[in-house]
Amino acid sequence: MEKAKVYFTKNITPEAVVEIYKKLNANLDGRVAVKLHSGEKGNQNYIKPEFVKPIIDFVKGTVVECNTAYPGARNTTEKHKTLMKEHRWADFFDVDILDESGDLVLEIPNGKVLDKNYVGKNLENYDSMLVLSHFKGHPMGGYGGAIKQLSIGCASSAGKCWIHSAGATTEQSKVWKLKNDQTKFLESMADSAGSIVEYFKDKVAFINIMCNLSVDCDCCAVAEDPCMNDIGILASLDPVAVDQACIDLVYNSTDSGRDHLVERIESRNGLHTIEAAVALGIGSKDYELINID
């Protein structure tokens, strides 16, 4: 079986994002949703709109986000739209809060934990998707990359509750009162990610940007500063391969902050998400890293 192709460049520039995307020969046509993390209010590490403007313009995309399931500046559509203006996303792009009109239910016939996924209803207005992920650590999932953007990222507020609770509730008022089963949470992320891949089939592509490498996510209003130097940009048509390649670059690094990020990943059993995604057939850990520099 042919290895998944993962393209890599050490150049972290807006122009490099466009160039690495071109290598994919991706089949993104029609109305293109660009899923990214807009950054919680107060977060200093999220990737800014100016940096991704060239690639979003290139694919003629619409920036899409979903409301959160925790208190903050993005847990209602009204507040989320206000923050999208404050963070200047609305200055540069058309912005769509996918669950503004409610939920779209995607069936998961062979999930490890979940049998359905709740995503933003507006997702059905798009023909293809570019997943632009800021690769970094995460306080709950261990790390955040393409799989997390597909799962928690595309889930509506109700869907985020559903994933975090491993299918126990869709209600914000209940989800954080439940005892979290970490393994089931990670497998729920893989299940929900698979439903998005199945929805778009061959009309989805993935770019992971390895900069501002904090142990915390862009969803943290108060996040740790980066603990590692920037590494580069990776792109693939396989979400598992691109995340695994990022993980390998971290693990193989001699950076003095490497151990701190690895501890965050391993203390949350973060690699299990990748293993679960492989078992579900979402992608492959077997990849060819192609340096385009």
Side-chain angles (χ1 to χ4, degrees), residues 27-88:
N27 185 27
L28 303 190
D29 55 17
R31 195 167 179 203
V32 181
V34 179
K35 181 64 191 73
L36 48 73
H37 202 305
S38 54
E40 183 57 57
K41 187 177 182 68
N43 186 277
Q44 77 277 30
N45 295 324
Y46 73 95
I47 294 172
K48 306 305 186 287
E50 295 88 344
F51 185 87
V52 292
K53 186 177 188 303
I55 184 60
I56 296 175
D57 288 348
F58 185 80
V59 300
K60 299 180 175 61
T62 298
V63 170
V64 301
E65 266 279 39
C66 282
N67 293 318
T68 63
Y70 55 82
R74 300 183 301 135
N75 67 331
T76 69
T77 297
E78 183 179 5
K79 289 195 292 183
H80 207 158
K81 285 183 173 180
T82 297
L83 191 64
M84 294 299 265
K85 292 177 182 178
E86 291 178 3
H87 282 182
R88 302 194 66 205

Side-chain angles (χ1 to χ4, degrees), residues 37-251:
H37 202 305
S38 54
E40 183 57 57
K41 187 177 182 68
N43 186 277
Q44 77 277 30
N45 295 324
Y46 73 95
I47 294 172
K48 306 305 186 287
E50 295 88 344
F51 185 87
V52 292
K53 186 177 188 303
I55 184 60
I56 296 175
D57 288 348
F58 185 80
V59 300
K60 299 180 175 61
T62 298
V63 170
V64 301
E65 266 279 39
C66 282
N67 293 318
T68 63
Y70 55 82
R74 300 183 301 135
N75 67 331
T76 69
T77 297
E78 183 179 5
K79 289 195 292 183
H80 207 158
K81 285 183 173 180
T82 297
L83 191 64
M84 294 299 265
K85 292 177 182 178
E86 291 178 3
H87 282 182
R88 302 194 66 205
W89 294 104
D91 290 352
F92 296 103
F93 314 111
D94 291 332
V95 173
D96 187 358
I97 307 302
L98 293 178
D99 53 339
E100 178 178 11
S101 303
D103 300 329
L104 172 67
V105 179
L106 302 180
E107 300 299 324
I108 308 175
N110 300 306
K112 284 180 168 289
V113 177
L114 304 180
D115 60 1
K116 57 182 173 289
N117 185 25
Y118 297 89
V119 301
K121 184 173 177 56
N122 292 355
L123 191 74
E124 58 191 358
N125 296 330
Y126 297 91
D127 304 297
S128 53
M129 176 176 277
L130 175 61
V131 180
L132 277 179
S133 302
H134 173 207
F135 185 91
K136 69 285 181 194
H138 192 278
M140 296 188 73
Y143 85 94
I147 296 173
K148 180 179 176 293
Q149 278 283 26
L150 287 169
S151 56
I152 296 291
C154 291
S156 66
S157 181
K160 288 177 172 64
C161 295
W162 187 247
I163 295 167
H164 275 288
S165 68
T169 184
T170 58
E171 298 180 38
Q172 288 188 38
S173 61
K174 296 180 179 178
V175 64
W176 306 116
K177 298 176 183 178
L178 298 173
K179 184 177 181 180
N180 178 47
D181 183 312
Q182 182 69 0
T183 297
K184 287 186 176 180
F185 162 58
L186 299 173
E187 292 176 351
S188 295
M189 281 208 294
D191 286 344
S192 54
S195 73
I196 301 295
V197 171
E198 177 61 25
Y199 184 84
F200 285 109
K201 299 188 186 300
D202 66 338
K203 295 183 180 297
V204 59
F206 307 93
I207 298 175
N208 282 7
I209 302 171
M210 299 186 74
C211 68
N212 300 341
L213 289 163
S214 170
V215 297
D216 286 329
C217 179
D218 299 340
C219 58
C220 300
V222 180
E224 275 196 27
D225 287 334
C227 62
M228 290 183 67
N229 290 319
D230 297 347
I231 292 177
I233 303 171
L234 296 88
S236 182
L237 299 178
D238 184 321
V240 175
V242 75
D243 276 7
Q244 183 64 54
C246 289
I247 291 289
D248 290 343
L249 286 168
V250 169
Y251 272 66

Side-chain angles (χ1 to χ4, degrees), residues 230-291:
D230 297 347
I231 292 177
I233 303 171
L234 296 88
S236 182
L237 299 178
D238 184 321
V240 175
V242 75
D243 276 7
Q244 183 64 54
C246 289
I247 291 289
D248 290 343
L249 286 168
V250 169
Y251 272 66
N252 293 329
S253 173
T254 58
D255 191 291
S256 60
R258 173 256 188 210
D259 290 351
H260 188 40
L261 184 51
V262 168
E263 189 278 333
R264 173 57 59 91
I265 295 167
E266 294 185 348
S267 65
R268 273 64 169 182
N269 197 24
L271 301 184
H272 185 63
T273 308
I274 290 177
E275 298 294 345
V278 171
L280 291 166
I282 296 169
S284 173
K285 290 172 58 178
D286 195 15
Y287 64 90
E288 176 188 4
L289 191 66
I290 303 169
N291 194 325

